[in-house]
């Protein structure tokens, strides 16, 4: 019996897939089809797959050509499968010509002509109108957003707004997008807004974007007051709009795997979380000079509080901030201590003090540790009482990692809410509450809206 194997995502199963499977089957007597898992697609940068694994498997089954369907979960699995199933022929479409020549050491390799003018990517774009995204702000993070957005299908970066028109123009020229001088024109030209302006301006921009019927992806910290977060989420929900806080770690595959392992019971009950993120910042930068909204906690607090909220929840019994301040009074180094009924946590962040950045989760049976940069999670270990037993996990983190949150934002706009659990509304509200508590403890909680002049200076 001649065994043939082929692989693919088979998203939105189309004629090209059908014809490939038909010809693959005709190459032998028994056809095995490997369908990629969701996690594998994410790690290899194939974002925005529409159909679930179960649907894709069912669609392949319905073609009637597959004698056996398996799941492809990782790089390097193909050779193992060929050996395991004693395969005679490996086949894929001609778009892969040459890529799988290394398989010739194990079996015959056949590249079948690809069917012209059809692909899952094409169907995804046709099915869902491209979302035109407008960026507010032109800082470092906005610079990273544009190249990342090119890697997510279904979005196009339309233009940029910054009240400081010169900055907007320079940014727009660099990325070959539009620069808008008037906010109204900007809103008219986009479907969704990515807000990457200074923290204190987020609330007003979110409010006016939602008010113009636009979905919003806002950089962390989304807002600095709990009531503001609640109000904005309520408004978005009532108007069928997506409001989404962009903490890249929350959406990356490695961090989600880490949470899964931490909560799986292998380390027992979680009793302690210690997390730290420091980044030495230039003292002349806004982060260390903005006396109202600068400092380590507003800058990095969202990252360090994320694992604490995800693992221990948002109802701690006690929260305390210990701070090392610079000459201008801003927090250079902040330690947040939290007490829960059955656990404790410390979340540390710094812009003017360097420390070891790591995430340590201690449980009744073992502990999980991810070294810096754990916020771009790509590797972590689980240790037990027996020092010889160590479980190691790795997961790619691609580029700047903004592609993951953007892809989930887009899925939500398109009505698929399967990523909502990664950062829930109540977690975002809790984060805003922590910012508020801290700023008020620092005597910076005044209800003072920044003047237009101040905003311009800050952009
Ligand atoms: N295929 C084909 N003809 C097409 C599209 C795909 O022969 N028009 C083949 C591919 O070469 C591959 C298999 O079908 O062997 C599964 O491909 P997959 O990547 O799932 O489909 P695409 O439509 O290429 O998906 P995407 O646009 O997401 O890359």
């Amino acid at each position: 019996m001649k065994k043939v194997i082929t692989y693919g995502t088979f998203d939105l199963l189309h004629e090209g897939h059908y014809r490939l499977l038909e010809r693959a089957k005709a190459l032998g007597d028994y056809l095995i089809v490997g369908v990629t898992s969701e996690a594998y697609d994410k790690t290899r940068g194939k974002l925005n797959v529409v159909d679930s694994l179960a649907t894709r498997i069912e669609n392949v089954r319905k073609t009637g050509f597959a004698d056996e369907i398996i799941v492809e979960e990782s790089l390097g699995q193909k050779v193992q499968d060929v050996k395991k199933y004693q395969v005679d022929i490996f086949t894929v479409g001609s778009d892969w010509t040459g890529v799988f020549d290394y398989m010739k050491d194990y079996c015959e390799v056949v590249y079948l002509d690809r069917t012209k003018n059809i692909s899952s990517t094409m169907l995804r774009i046709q099915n869902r109108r491209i979302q035109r995204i407008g960026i507010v702000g032109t800082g470092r993070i906005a610079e990273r957003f544009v190249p990342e957005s090119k890697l997510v299908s279904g979005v196009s970066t339309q233009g940029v707004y910054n009240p400081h028109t010169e900055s907007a123009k320079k940014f727009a020229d660099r990325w070959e997008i539009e620069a808008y001088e008037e906010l109204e024109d900007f809103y008219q030209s986009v479907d969704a807004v990515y807000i990457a302006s200074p923290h204190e301006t987020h609330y007003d921009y979110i409010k006016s974007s939602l008010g113009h019927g636009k979905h919003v992806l806002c950089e962390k910290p989304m807002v600095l007051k709990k009531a503001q977060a609640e109000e904005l989420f309520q408004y978005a929900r009532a108007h069928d709009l997506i409001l989404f806080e962009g903490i890249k770690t929350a959406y990356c595959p490695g961090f989600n795997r880490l949470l899964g392992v931490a909560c799986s019971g292998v380390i027992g009950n979680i009793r302690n979380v210690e997390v730290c993120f420091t980044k030495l910042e230039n003292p002349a930068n806004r982060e260390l000079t903005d006396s109202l909204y600068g400092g380590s906690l507003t800058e990095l607090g969202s990252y360090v509080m994320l694992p604490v909220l995800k693992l221990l929840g948002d109802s701690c019994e006690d929260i305390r901030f210990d701070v090392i301040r610079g000459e201008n009074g801003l927090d250079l180094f902040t330690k947040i201590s939290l007490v829960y009924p059955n656990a404790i946590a410390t979340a540390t962040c710094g812009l003017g003090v360097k420390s070891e950045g790591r995430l340590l989760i201690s449980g009744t049976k073992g502990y999980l540790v991810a070294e810096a940069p754990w916020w771009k999670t790509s590797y972590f270990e689980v240790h037990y009482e027996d020092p010889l037993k160590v479980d190691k996990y790795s997961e790619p983190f691609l580029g700047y990692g903004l592609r993951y949150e953007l892809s989930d934002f887009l899925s939500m706009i398109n009505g698929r809410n399967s990523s909502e659990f990664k950062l829930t509304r109540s977690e975002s509200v809790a984060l805003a509450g922590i910012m508020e508590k801290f700023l008020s403890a620092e005597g910076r909680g005044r209800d003072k809206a920044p003047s237009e002049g101040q905003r311009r200076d800050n952009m």
Side-chain angles (χ1 to χ4, degrees):
M1 186 167 72
K2 212 178 218 184
K3 279 192 175 178
V4 182
I5 199 163
T6 189
Y7 294 87
T9 304
F10 302 103
D11 189 27
L12 303 169
L13 197 106
H14 54 69
E15 192 202 336
H17 295 141
Y18 187 90
R19 293 203 50 235
L20 180 113
L21 293 173
E22 188 178 30
R23 285 171 293 154
K25 169 76 179 180
L27 288 173
D29 309 301
Y30 189 86
L31 176 65
I32 304 171
V33 180
V35 181
T36 52
S37 73
E38 279 149 14
Y40 180 43
D41 274 329
K42 277 245 146 105
T43 57
R44 69 198 183 115
K46 190 159 184 167
L47 305 166
N48 283 351
V49 172
V50 174
D51 288 335
S52 67
L53 174 62
T55 306
R56 290 180 287 122
I57 289 178
E58 182 55 14
N59 288 343
V60 168
R61 193 190 60 74
K62 278 195 202 143
T63 64
F65 297 123
D67 295 288
E68 188 168 347
I69 300 176
I70 59 172
V71 177
E72 184 182 20
E73 301 193 75
S74 58
L75 187 76
Q77 186 184 318
K78 291 188 176 79
V79 170
Q80 297 303 100
D81 288 343
V82 165
K83 291 184 191 165
K84 179 169 158 190
Y85 297 100
Q86 297 176 339
V87 166
D88 302 286
I89 302 176
F90 168 91
T91 185
V92 277
S94 52
D95 44 326
W96 295 100
T97 301
V99 175
F100 294 107
D101 285 357
Y102 69 91
M103 300 282 290
K104 286 181 182 163
D105 290 346
Y106 308 95
C107 62
E108 189 184 334
V109 175
V110 176
Y111 297 105
L112 292 167
D113 279 345
R114 190 179 158 90
T115 307
K116 293 202 171 42
N117 300 325
I118 179 90
S119 73
S120 303
T121 305
M122 241 169 79
L123 292 179
R124 283 193 287 266
I125 291 172
Q126 274 167 13
N127 286 359
R128 296 162 211 288
R129 200 164 61 76
I130 296 270
Q131 292 291 324
R132 296 163 305 162
I133 301 214
I135 304 177
V136 174
T138 51
R140 262 177 299 176
I141 188 81
E143 290 283 353
R144 293 175 174 184
F145 182 83
V146 188
E148 289 274 314
S149 70
K150 292 190 199 301
L151 299 163
V152 178
S153 61
V155 291
S156 79
T157 300
Q158 173 71 22
V160 64
Y161 172 78
N162 183 335
H164 197 275
T165 345
E166 266 317 298
S167 303
K169 278 196 183 123
K170 273 191 203 146
F171 186 93
D173 285 349
R174 223 170 14 257
W175 293 107
E176 297 177 336
I177 55 175
E178 284 290 311
Y180 295 90
E181 287 191 21
E182 297 299 329
L183 252 184
E184 283 302 319
D185 296 340
F186 171 78
Y187 288 135
Q188 290 307 316
S189 319
V190 303
D191 307 299
V193 178
Y194 171 59
I195 299 174
S197 52
H199 316 317
E200 71 280 10
T201 64
H202 290 177
Y203 173 76
D204 285 346
Y205 281 127
I206 297 173
K207 203 169 172 175
S208 78
S209 301
L210 293 174
H212 284 80
K214 309 300 165 189
H215 303 290
V216 176
L217 165 56
C218 183
E219 262 309 317
K220 46 88 206 152
M222 188 176 85
V223 284
L224 303 169
K225 282 188 162 59
K226 191 175 172 199
Q228 290 181 339
E230 283 166 342
E231 175 205 328
L232 294 170
F233 278 126
Q234 228 163 47
Y235 184 93
R237 201 193 281 256
H239 293 81
D240 253 341
L241 293 166
I242 303 296
L243 169 58
F244 190 99
E245 180 168 14
I247 304 178
K248 64 174 186 281
T249 313
Y251 300 94
C252 77
F255 185 70
N256 279 284
R257 180 125 185 250
L258 178 152
L259 292 179
V261 172
C263 297
S264 70
V266 290
I267 60 168
N269 297 318
I270 297 170
R271 295 288 183 246
N272 180 39
V273 177
E274 282 170 36
V275 51
C276 179
F277 182 175
T278 63
K279 180 174 85 177
L280 287 184
E281 191 61 68
N282 179 343
N285 282 357
R286 177 182 59 79
E287 290 83 346
L288 285 178
T289 52
D290 178 350
S291 58
L292 277 180
Y293 303 103
S296 60
L297 191 111
T298 50
E299 190 59 25
L300 300 174
S302 315
Y303 285 119
V304 291
M305 278 309 301
L306 177 70
V308 177
L309 289 176
K310 298 285 335 166
L311 294 165
L312 302 178
D314 57 13
S315 36
C316 64
E317 291 174 338
D318 189 36
I319 181 166
R320 207 182 89 185
F321 304 96
D322 292 300
V323 182
I324 308 284
R325 291 184 195 79
E327 278 170 17
N328 61 3
L330 279 179
D331 53 305
L332 292 178
F333 190 70
T334 306
K335 187 168 275 194
I336 315 170
S337 307
L338 302 104
V339 179
Y340 287 82
N342 259 320
I344 49 177
T346 50
T348 308
C349 48
L351 292 179
V353 175
K354 193 67 196 164
S355 189
E356 186 186 1
R358 67 169 184 172
L359 168 59
L360 172 66
I361 304 163
S362 316
T364 49
K365 292 185 181 162
Y367 68 88
L368 184 156
V369 64
E371 302 296 343
W374 63 264
W375 51 93
K376 300 182 193 171
T377 324
S378 60
Y379 179 75
F380 58 94
E381 292 181 353
V382 177
H383 293 249
Y384 305 90
E385 182 59 25
D386 175 0
L388 297 177
K389 181 169 152 54
V390 180
D391 298 330
K392 300 176 178 181
Y393 297 84
S394 57
E395 203 74 60
F397 179 93
L398 302 173
Y400 296 119
L402 296 172
R403 64 193 70 180
Y404 303 115
E405 65 184 45
L406 181 55
S407 150
D408 282 335
F409 175 58
L410 198 65
S411 296
M412 285 202 204
I413 292 176
N414 289 329
R416 298 189 305 279
N417 293 337
S418 57
S419 339
E420 214 169 320
F421 72 98
K422 293 181 189 166
L423 183 64
T424 64
R425 294 184 182 97
S426 53
E427 285 159 355
S428 272
V429 169
L431 284 168
I434 289 166
M435 297 287 157
E436 180 172 7
K437 237 184 209 143
F438 175 76
L439 290 177
S440 112
E442 289 289 283
R444 292 196 258 151
R446 289 177 295 280
D447 236 341
K448 187 170 151 251
S451 67
E452 189 59 23
Q454 214 173 354
R455 270 190 220 162
R456 279 168 195 272
D457 294 344
N458 285 339
M459 283 299 258

